[in-house]
């Protein structure tokens, strides 16, 4: 037992944050993202904020100094749509599902980590119409349910991620997301950077006996009705607030309160026809909208639609692949084969079209999976600068938090990733991660970013759940 205690302490060392009054990384290459690269400079983080950055900055006397010779400093990476930080949500995918033709599946959080699979939500009572508010928990604020014990946090952080936009994903109106910093062993409230960030909406296909809605038309009709109800509810509340005398007070409706409290909505779309449909639907709802999924945005027509509407896109990093459980005798359509072949071209197409977009993990939690996904886009033509921006400043801009995250600038939150070698290069190693000014070291078994095997497909990846067809 006496020998076991030191071993346990050493094993846990990587997961425990080192806290100091200030941290200074000096004589390092600094990639600010928002400005020019500093070939050899110093960045100082104090009390969780970037205190100074530049080529003539001196390390404070009270700072823990990291000698940066041969190291490169980047802003911490941001996952723009995930379930990280949610206890019991392991193996959850947020692949866009939009009914007929999409064949995507929105997987609900499971109580324990299990292989990724589609989960059918069976209501305890059959819904007969929109007045029953089926599959709606719009009032849920994930910021109130954040857990610092989610084991995926350390894995993501070891790959260079310091921040995530985390959302509830169960049901149609799932609830309101939050921007969190990936801390462990801390009070959950310290992880929350901003909340609420938006309402996560999914559109799927119900089964027999599930009640309303059970088809794509029903889902869209229900969402439309919710927003009509919300507009009327808001109007009545405002009228009552102006002069309540002689007026019956409106009933409190937490579902509509949650909808009205959301600054934006997230709508799913993968195929070109779905992207067109959701953009038209968003215009009808008159809500600030983010599209997530984007599997067919390698098609210039899809990118043109997003650019014309000035709608940002969150692009899944889970590239479509044939499921290892698929029927070997099944013949895939030409469209399916084309999507698998060309999906990784989408980041470059979107960038050249001037679309605002960012990557999201879509259930990929392990460093090697995340690394391989980015490398595949780079191999398909995406520039390294664009790839970095899609994982840092772009998601911060899309969510309106670029004044505090996404780049290395004085006054922003001290989220940094320090590497030996250029990010996305083969065998580049993450040396340290700083989150809110607290230094973490990557897990000891973390593979190099872009290491051996990252440029090949993994035909055994089961996480698509049919979404690539």
């Amino acid at each position: 037992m006496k020998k076991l205690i030191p071993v346990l302490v050493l094993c846990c060392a990587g997961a425990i944050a080192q806290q100091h009054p200030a941290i200074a990384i000096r004589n390092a290459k600094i990639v600010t993202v928002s400005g020019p690269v500093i070939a050899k400079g110093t960045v100082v983080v104090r009390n969780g904020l970037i205190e100074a950055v530049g080529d003539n900055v001196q390390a404070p006397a009270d700072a823990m100094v990291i000698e940066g010779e041969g190291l490169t400093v980047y802003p911490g990476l941001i996952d723009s749509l995930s379930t990280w930080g949610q206890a019991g949500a392991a193996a959850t995918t947020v692949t866009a599902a939009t009914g007929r033709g999409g064949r995507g599946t929105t997987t609900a959080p499971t109580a324990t980590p299990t292989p990724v699979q589609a989960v059918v939500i069976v209501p305890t009572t059959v819904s007969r119409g929109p007045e029953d508010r089926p599959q709606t928990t719009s009032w849920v604020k994930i910021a109130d349910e954040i857990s610092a014990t989610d084991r995926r946090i350390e894995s993501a952080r070891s790959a260079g991620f310091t921040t995530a936009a985390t959302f509830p994903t169960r049901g149609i109106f799932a609830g309101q997301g939050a921007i969190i910093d990936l801390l462990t062993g801390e009070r959950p409230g310290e992880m929350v950077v901003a909340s609420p960030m938006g309402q996560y909406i999914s559109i799927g296909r119900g089964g027999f006996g599930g009640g309303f809605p059970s088809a794509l038309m029903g889902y869209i009709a229900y969402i439309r009705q919710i927003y009509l109800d919300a507009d009327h509810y808001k109007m009545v509340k405002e009228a009552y607030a102006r002069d309540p005398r002689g007026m019956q007070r409106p009933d409190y409706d937490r579902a509509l309160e949650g909808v009205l409290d959301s600054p934006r909505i997230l709508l799913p779309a993968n195929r070109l026809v779905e992207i067109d449909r959701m953009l038209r639907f968003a215009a009808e709802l008159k809500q600030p909208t983010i599209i997530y999924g984007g599997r067919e945005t390698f098609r210039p027509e899809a990118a043109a639609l997003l650019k014309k509407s000035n709608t940002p896109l969150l692009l899944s990093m889970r590239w479509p692949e044939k499921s290892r459980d698929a029927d070997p005798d099944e013949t895939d359509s030409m469209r399916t084969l084309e999507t698998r072949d060309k999906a990784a071209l989408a980041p470059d197409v979107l960038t050249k079209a001037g679309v605002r977009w960012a990557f999201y993990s879509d259930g990929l939690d392990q460093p090697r999976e995340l690394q391989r996904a980015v490398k595949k886009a780079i191999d398909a033509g995406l520039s390294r600068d664009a790839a970095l921006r899609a994982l840092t400043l772009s998601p911060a801009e899309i969510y309106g938090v670029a004044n505090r995250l996404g780049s290395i600038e004085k006054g922003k939150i001290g989220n940094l990733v320090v590497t030996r070698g250029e990010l996305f290069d083969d065998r580049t190693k993450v040396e340290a991660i700083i989150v809110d000014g607290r230094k973490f070291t990557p897990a000891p078994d973390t593979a190099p970013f872009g290491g051996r095997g990252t440029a090949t497909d993994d035909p055994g990846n089961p996480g698509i759940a049919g979404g690539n067809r």
Side-chain angles (χ1 to χ4, degrees), residues 295-330:
R295 192 156 283 163
E296 280 195 11
T297 50
F298 64 86
R299 301 184 186 280
E301 306 95 315
L305 287 172
L306 290 163
K307 176 62 176 176
K308 182 178 179 179
S309 63
N310 194 30
T311 302
L313 171 78
L314 306 182
L315 181 64
S316 170
M317 295 168 69
R318 186 181 287 276
W319 306 119
E321 299 172 351
K322 191 177 184 70
S323 171
R324 64 182 178 186
D325 299 324
D327 183 351
D329 296 327
E330 181 182 4

Side-chain angles (χ1 to χ4, degrees), residues 23-30 38 41-45 49-55 57-60 64 66 73 408-410 414 416 418 434:
I23 298 175
I25 307 169
R26 66 184 180 188
N27 298 323
K29 179 180 178 180
I30 303 172
I38 300 171
T42 299
V43 56
V44 178
V45 178
L49 300 175
I50 298 173
E51 183 178 72
V53 57
D55 54 8
V57 172
Q58 299 297 315
M64 179 191 76
I66 298 175
V73 185
I408 303 178
E409 298 179 60
K410 181 178 179 180
L416 307 171
V418 184
I434 297 173

Side-chain angles (χ1 to χ4, degrees), residues 1 13 30 58 87 105 118 162 254 282 344 369 375 379 410 414 432 443 469:
M1 178 61 73
I30 303 172
Q58 299 297 315
T105 300
T162 63
R254 66 174 181 172
E369 294 177 320
K375 184 68 160 53
D379 290 343
K410 181 178 179 180
R469 303 206 180 168

Side-chain angles (χ1 to χ4, degrees), residues 120-453:
V120 178
I121 302 172
V122 180
T124 55
T125 58
V126 176
S127 298
R128 302 299 180 187
E131 65 276 4
D132 294 330
R133 300 280 193 260
Q135 301 182 58
T136 292
T137 52
S138 58
W139 58 88
V140 169
K141 290 186 178 180
I142 208 64
D144 298 333
E145 302 179 9
I146 291 300
S147 170
T149 61
D150 183 354
R151 294 181 180 180
R152 297 171 300 161
I153 289 177
E154 185 176 4
S155 291
R157 198 170 54 216
S158 295
F161 285 85
T162 63
T163 308
T166 185
F167 282 80
T169 58
R170 184 185 294 275
I172 302 173
F173 285 84
Q176 303 171 54
I179 303 291
I180 64 168
D181 274 346
L182 300 181
L183 298 167
T184 46
E186 312 292 340
R187 291 176 296 179
E190 293 181 338
M191 298 171 64
V192 179
V193 175
S195 174
M197 284 290 97
Q199 183 74 214
Y200 181 90
I201 297 176
S202 62
I203 299 174
R205 292 172 295 175
F208 290 104
F212 175 85
S214 59
L216 175 60
M217 183 178 295
Y219 277 84
I220 291 178
Y222 174 58
I223 295 169
R224 179 183 290 118
Q225 187 62 55
I226 281 284
Y227 278 98
L228 289 173
D229 291 348
D231 288 342
H232 181 263
Y233 179 69
K234 180 180 179 182
M235 180 182 66
V236 172
K237 282 184 62 178
E238 291 174 346
Y240 184 77
R242 286 194 299 269
D243 186 6
R245 289 175 297 180
M247 182 179 177
Q248 186 176 359
R249 70 178 182 275
D251 293 336
Y252 179 83
D253 190 321
R254 66 174 181 172
L256 299 182
E257 289 284 348
V259 167
L260 292 174
D261 196 32
S262 304
R264 59 183 61 83
I265 59 175
L266 278 65
L267 291 176
N270 269 319
R271 300 175 66 227
L272 175 59
V273 66
E274 296 166 355
I275 292 169
D276 185 29
R277 179 190 297 135
M278 288 298 106
L279 290 176
R280 292 173 185 271
F281 193 35
E284 176 189 334
L285 297 177
K286 299 179 181 179
Q287 298 294 316
T289 300
I290 298 173
I291 300 295
Y292 68 92
R295 192 156 283 163
E296 280 195 11
T297 50
F298 64 86
R299 301 184 186 280
E301 306 95 315
L305 287 172
L306 290 163
K307 176 62 176 176
K308 182 178 179 179
S309 63
N310 194 30
T311 302
L313 171 78
L314 306 182
L315 181 64
S316 170
M317 295 168 69
R318 186 181 287 276
W319 306 119
E321 299 172 351
K322 191 177 184 70
S323 171
R324 64 182 178 186
D325 299 324
D327 183 351
D329 296 327
E330 181 182 4
T331 301
D332 295 314
S333 68
M334 285 300 297
R335 193 181 193 100
T336 295
L337 296 173
E338 181 187 26
T339 300
R340 288 181 191 156
D341 182 54
K342 296 183 178 180
L345 297 171
D348 189 45
V349 171
L350 292 166
T351 300
K352 290 177 178 177
V355 175
R356 293 182 295 149
W357 71 278
F359 277 127
Y360 77 95
S361 63
D362 201 0
L364 301 180
D365 299 326
Q366 297 304 311
R368 186 177 293 279
E369 294 177 320
L370 295 161
Q371 294 156 4
R372 182 170 57 244
V374 178
K375 184 68 160 53
K376 188 169 183 177
I378 292 173
D379 290 343
L382 183 67
S383 71
R384 292 169 182 266
D385 288 344
L388 178 62
R389 202 180 198 286
L391 288 164
T392 53
L393 192 55
S394 289
E397 290 173 342
I398 287 171
Y399 284 109
V401 292
N403 57 353
R404 65 196 91 171
L405 292 169
S407 60
I408 303 178
E409 298 179 60
K410 181 178 179 180
K412 287 193 174 184
I413 295 172
N415 291 348
L416 307 171
V417 56
V418 184
T419 67
R420 187 169 299 280
E422 299 293 321
L423 200 61
F424 312 133
D425 272 357
D426 289 349
R427 301 193 181 281
T428 288
K429 182 181 179 184
V430 176
E431 295 283 353
I433 309 99
I434 297 173
V435 187
D436 264 350
R438 306 167 205 190
K439 180 177 176 291
F440 296 86
T441 54
D445 59 345
T446 301
F449 202 113
R452 187 175 298 171

